[in-house]
Amino acid sequence: MKKRVLLVDDHKIVRSGLRALIEMEDDLGVAGEAASGLEALQLVRKESFDIAILDISMPDKNGVDTLRDLQRICPQMPVLILSGFAQEQYALNLIRSGCRGYLSKDADPEEIIRAIRVICAGRRYLSMELADLLATELTHPSEKRLHETLSEREFQVFFKLASGKSPTEIADELFLSVKTVSTYRTRVLEKMNLKTNADLTYYAIKNELIS
């Protein structure tokens, strides 16, 4: 039985390239494609997949939120993040949030296939770069970048605030009260030693977390 792969990326050319790569393998097949996080959630409610390959930067629902929702709806389905953002920018936060591997889109095709197989076998896939990041976190925790000190939910709120979302919008998207979002915002600002939403946006741009 071929492993059923779900591709989630808003760029058709990326999905087409991944489909061509994956379908060269006898043990893997693309069973579904989604151009947005919302489309991905609709698909996993209807069909079963062995793995989802997920982008971060997408319209309507970014990969950070989509990862969390996929885990809620289909906790047994592992997720591999394949992003245009470098591993040192997002990987540690998203590994903590539950993804089983993280690769940048310039990874070698052989490594992408290897990661899919490892994750479908029930293990995490750690690239050499990500393994180094995790080792540094364990041996030198003080060297963490500020956004890496945030909890999963704090990171979600940080990402949305930095992208220009209001507390009301964030509350609606995360099914929280505005008061709870404000509490998270206060925690994020304190942990990152920042004062305003504009500071969060500047930090995110400077660290290439948003473009």
Side-chain angles (χ1 to χ4, degrees):
M1 289 283 291
K2 288 189 174 187
K3 296 297 184 182
R4 292 169 56 82
V5 181
L6 171 62
L7 303 178
V8 188
D9 194 294
D10 58 321
H11 293 99
K12 187 173 182 180
I13 191 169
V14 174
R15 299 197 309 274
S16 296
L18 285 171
R19 175 182 281 275
L21 173 66
I22 289 166
E23 295 195 338
M24 291 173 63
E25 307 300 322
D26 293 336
D27 57 333
L28 304 173
V30 175
E33 293 186 24
S36 70
L38 288 178
E39 284 185 24
L41 298 177
Q42 291 168 357
L43 276 174
V44 299
R45 286 187 174 102
K46 298 174 184 175
E47 302 179 46
S48 63
F49 301 93
D50 294 295
I51 185 173
I53 301 178
L54 177 65
D55 190 16
I56 290 178
S57 181
M58 295 185 295
D60 77 43
K61 185 180 281 288
N62 62 60
V64 177
D65 291 345
T66 303
L67 172 63
R68 184 182 180 91
D69 288 343
L70 286 174
Q71 291 185 310
R72 177 176 52 81
I73 294 168
C74 193
Q76 74 278 12
M77 183 187 68
V79 174
L80 168 64
I81 299 292
L82 187 64
S83 173
F85 293 104
Q87 295 189 54
E88 64 267 19
Q89 293 162 322
Y90 278 99
L92 292 180
N93 289 88
L94 293 180
I95 287 288
R96 286 196 211 99
S97 296
C99 78
R100 305 304 296 271
Y102 187 111
L103 288 174
S104 57
K105 286 182 178 177
D106 60 2
D108 290 337
E110 295 82 4
E111 185 173 22
I112 294 172
I113 295 298
R114 185 164 61 250
I116 294 170
R117 288 193 174 118
V118 167
I119 291 170
C120 284
R123 305 192 301 275
R124 296 186 189 278
Y125 181 79
L126 300 181
S127 65
M128 290 181 63
E129 184 177 358
L130 181 50
D132 284 343
L133 286 172
L134 289 169
T136 299
E137 180 184 22
L138 289 172
T139 55
H140 303 285
S142 63
E143 294 179 13
K144 282 185 183 180
R145 293 197 292 179
L146 292 173
H147 67 276
E148 292 171 354
T149 66
L150 303 176
S151 70
E152 176 187 351
R153 184 64 94 180
E154 288 166 353
F155 183 71
Q156 268 193 305
V157 172
F158 154 74
F159 189 78
K160 289 178 179 296
L161 288 169
S163 300
K165 297 282 181 72
S166 70
T168 301
E169 290 174 310
I170 297 170
D172 289 342
E173 292 178 8
L174 298 182
F175 303 104
L176 300 172
S177 69
V178 175
K179 183 178 179 181
T180 299
V181 171
S182 296
T183 299
Y184 278 118
R185 175 183 177 275
T186 300
R187 285 187 205 164
V188 167
L189 290 171
E190 287 177 353
K191 281 190 175 183
M192 299 183 71
N193 197 28
L194 299 173
K195 294 183 178 180
T196 66
N197 290 3
D199 292 337
L200 293 174
T201 300
Y202 176 75
Y203 175 93
I205 293 171
K206 183 180 178 183
N207 286 273
E208 299 181 334
L209 297 169
I210 60 174
S211 55

